[in-house]
Amino acid sequence: MPRIITAILFIVSVSTALANPTSSVLIKNIKIIDSQTIQTDVDLLIVDGAIRKIARDIDDKDVHLVIDGTDSTLIPGFVATHNHLHMPGATFLGKAGAKLYLAGGVTTMQTTGAAEPLKELQLKQVIEQGRVAGPDIVTTGPYFTGPDGNDAMVRITDEQAIDREIEEWVDRGVSWFKVYRHTTEPQLKAIINSVHKRGAKVTGHLCSITMQQAAELGIDAIEHGFIHAYDFAEGKTAGECDGSNNYRSSLDIQGKQLEQLHKTLIANKVAISSTPSIFEAQTPNTPINPAFKTYLAPHLLERAENYLQRREKAGDSWYFKREWLDRTLQHDRLFLQRGGLLTIGPDPGLHSIPGFADQRNFKLLVEGGFTIQEAIQVMSANGATSLGFADRGYVKEGYRADLILVDGDLENAPHTINNIKLVIKNGVTYQPHELRKGLEGQLGKTVERE
Ligand SMILES: [Zn+2]
């Protein structure tokens, strides 16, 4: 007899699920949405970690777990592209970070810059071994930067030294590298060469080098998008991180200049990895998810609360303007509609908390005018494309069973993204509240051993 699980009661604990990764799961009477199709009142069968069948009235004989999906929506797990395992004030978020990401629906994530790359690699491994619950992790090497940047960053400029450094990290399992604001053009050239000949990829948080230049040099992705489009900074010196950021308020989003840049990015297959939730965290008078009070370690909570106080007190005179967030989303949708590969991640910090901030990103896209299917495309399918995964990002037969079961009709009530009942990764079911158990006050607290 299959176990029948109602929409309210789940009896599969995470530990049970981890111990039993190959069981079959049948979700009955579900609405499925991905970026290509919407199907209502269908059943979905998972066998051995993959979506075996989507059809009406699938037989539940021999199925280990049956879930009633009435009044729920099934979407692909998030494949997110700016999910650090560090944040200002904490160099490694470890297992707590990984669990919070997974609880928020993230089944695959790119760390996009590491403060502790060896620890990231180790965490990726124990997750793959099934010893710790968390998303699949696409790890990043240490940041490369020019004369500026912080102490943990690599500042080498010699071409051969760059090549050796990259070889070492690729051998350890790193598949992406990130360049930071002050990287010079010769440095970026050498990095891209060295990385590409090893089959890995490069992304950048740019400033000294423009997006146009980086695209022409062969970069694979650009972080933050519009906010850091220093191509349009007035008074910018070539190769320097300077100039005015007035373009954030004044650049014509629909105009020719931006259209030209988008053409270059698209022709060179450069993804833009947008990070609206951290920008919202910097914007006065915006909603705050109280989760940060629950999960942040005391020293990070103090830091976040202090920031929020200053932000709210300053109001309109604050350095980060509301219109920048709105215009980022306008820009992002236009890039997507022009055929650009738009991806997204939370860039954790302040009260932008792993997992919760990924859910917030989804909502921000919808509030910014994206249709539900466009939002899902950005949150899942495009991330998979950028990271080179052909087996995920959609709810389709043959694809990996990386899914989010939302309590409610997500199509007509996007806020229900906050009500995730179940996250399924590689066919294994996880309940968010189980994943989050015991993590109160733990995020960024200690660097645990594994
Ligand atoms: Zn970042």
Side-chain angles (χ1 to χ4, degrees):
M1 272 295 290
R3 280 182 288 159
I4 307 288
I5 310 291
T6 68
I8 307 152
L9 177 73
F10 289 104
I11 57 171
V12 183
S13 74
V14 173
S15 52
T16 315
L18 278 170
N20 194 11
T22 54
S23 36
S24 50
V25 182
L26 178 63
I27 307 173
K28 302 281 290 176
N29 309 315
I30 191 79
K31 179 173 189 171
I32 295 176
I33 310 179
D34 71 9
S35 54
Q36 292 177 342
T37 53
I38 299 181
Q39 302 171 75
T40 48
D41 205 19
V42 289
D43 299 349
L44 179 141
L45 177 66
I46 299 166
V47 179
D48 291 338
I51 301 168
R52 174 69 62 86
K53 195 174 177 187
I54 301 171
R56 282 188 209 282
D57 303 319
I58 298 176
D59 192 356
D60 63 10
K61 194 169 151 292
D62 298 329
V63 173
H64 294 105
L65 173 66
V66 179
I67 296 166
D68 179 9
T70 309
D71 299 325
S72 306
T73 309
L74 198 65
I75 60 171
F78 297 147
V79 183
T81 58
H82 200 120
N83 296 42
H84 296 312
L85 283 168
H86 63 85
M87 59 196 273
T91 57
F92 192 57
L93 303 177
K95 285 185 278 187
K99 285 183 184 175
L100 288 177
Y101 278 125
L102 185 63
V106 179
T107 47
T108 301
M109 62 182 230
Q110 179 189 16
T111 59
T112 320
E116 303 242 27
L118 287 174
K119 287 185 181 144
E120 269 191 28
L121 284 162
Q122 206 173 24
L123 181 61
K124 170 193 169 78
Q125 208 175 46
V126 292
I127 289 172
E128 278 168 2
Q129 291 164 348
R131 288 159 59 202
V132 170
D136 277 12
I137 298 176
V138 175
T139 53
T140 319
Y143 289 75
F144 278 89
T145 191
D148 244 309
N150 69 40
D151 287 347
M153 295 181 178
V154 177
R155 260 182 220 81
I156 45 182
T157 51
D158 174 73
E159 210 172 308
Q160 279 170 353
I162 287 173
D163 195 48
R164 278 196 301 274
E165 178 82 14
I166 285 166
E167 184 179 32
E168 236 173 73
W169 287 106
V170 170
D171 286 349
R172 289 181 178 127
V174 160
S175 53
W176 278 77
F177 292 84
K178 182 172 178 184
V179 297
Y180 202 58
R181 295 159 53 96
H182 299 271
T183 314
T184 64
E185 193 172 320
Q187 241 181 335
L188 180 59
K189 261 187 194 161
I191 290 165
I192 290 174
N193 263 336
S194 172
V195 168
H196 281 178
K197 77 180 179 199
R198 296 185 167 82
K201 291 185 173 182
V202 182
T203 188
H205 172 155
L206 305 175
C207 183
S208 51
I209 296 173
T210 64
M211 293 167 85
Q212 176 89 22
Q213 275 176 303
E216 285 164 357
L217 289 174
I219 204 164
D220 300 286
I222 292 172
E223 303 304 315
H224 310 296
F226 178 72
I227 293 286
H228 295 296
Y230 291 98
D231 299 56
F232 309 113
E234 246 172 77
K236 184 183 184 321
T237 321
E240 294 290 330
C241 180
D242 63 2
S244 149
N245 60 24
N246 282 345
Y247 65 86
R248 294 174 180 173
S249 301
S250 61
L251 184 74
D252 179 7
I253 302 273
Q254 303 284 341
K256 281 270 172 268
Q257 271 183 300
L258 195 60
E259 189 183 354
Q260 195 49 50
L261 174 61
H262 284 174
K263 274 186 184 160
T264 307
L265 296 174
I266 292 164
N268 289 283
K269 296 191 167 60
V270 183
I272 287 183
S273 169
S274 192
T275 57
S277 78
I278 190 64
F279 294 144
E280 185 186 49
Q282 297 171 71
T283 308
N285 304 313
T286 48
I288 296 161
N289 187 321
F292 80 104
K293 292 191 178 167
T294 308
Y295 296 103
L296 282 184
H299 74 286
L300 294 179
L301 179 59
E302 198 188 317
R303 196 179 170 121
E305 282 182 325
N306 199 295
Y307 178 91
L308 281 175
Q309 266 172 19
R310 285 184 290 125
R311 194 193 81 175
E312 292 314 290
K313 205 171 152 202
D316 288 344
S317 65
W318 192 239
Y319 72 94
F320 200 96
K321 309 292 175 203
R322 167 84 224 190
E323 64 196 25
W324 295 355
L325 176 64
D326 298 337
R327 286 162 57 81
T328 286
L329 291 163
Q330 283 168 30
H331 160 274
D332 288 354
R333 184 150 190 256
L334 191 60
F335 179 64
L336 180 75
Q337 290 184 328
R338 284 176 172 158
L341 187 61
L342 180 73
T343 67
I344 197 164
D347 197 3
L350 303 170
H351 54 282
S352 178
I353 300 299
F356 294 97
D358 294 273
Q359 291 170 309
R360 185 62 195 151
N361 270 344
F362 175 86
K363 282 278 300 297
L364 280 166
L365 290 173
V366 174
E367 287 169 12
F370 289 66
T371 67
I372 295 289
Q373 283 185 288
E374 283 171 344
I376 291 174
Q377 183 186 345
V378 174
M379 297 292 305
S380 300
N382 284 5
T385 302
S386 176
L387 300 180
F389 292 109
D391 64 346
R392 62 197 77 172
Y394 299 92
V395 187
K396 276 188 194 175
E397 288 175 6
Y399 275 68
R400 218 170 83 140
D402 287 355
L403 303 159
I404 301 171
L405 184 69
V406 175
D407 187 7
D409 180 359
L410 188 70
E411 187 184 11
N412 296 306
H415 68 270
T416 55
I417 195 65
N418 294 335
N419 309 333
I420 296 181
K421 286 199 291 196
L422 208 59
V423 179
I424 304 174
K425 184 195 152 199
N426 206 9
V428 181
T429 54
Y430 301 91
Q431 299 169 67
H433 72 90
E434 286 285 344
L435 288 168
R436 292 178 184 137
K437 213 180 256 174
L439 299 183
E440 296 81 1
Q442 294 300 308
L443 191 68
K445 191 176 183 188
T446 50
V447 177
E448 70 263 32
R449 288 184 60 221
E450 184 52 54

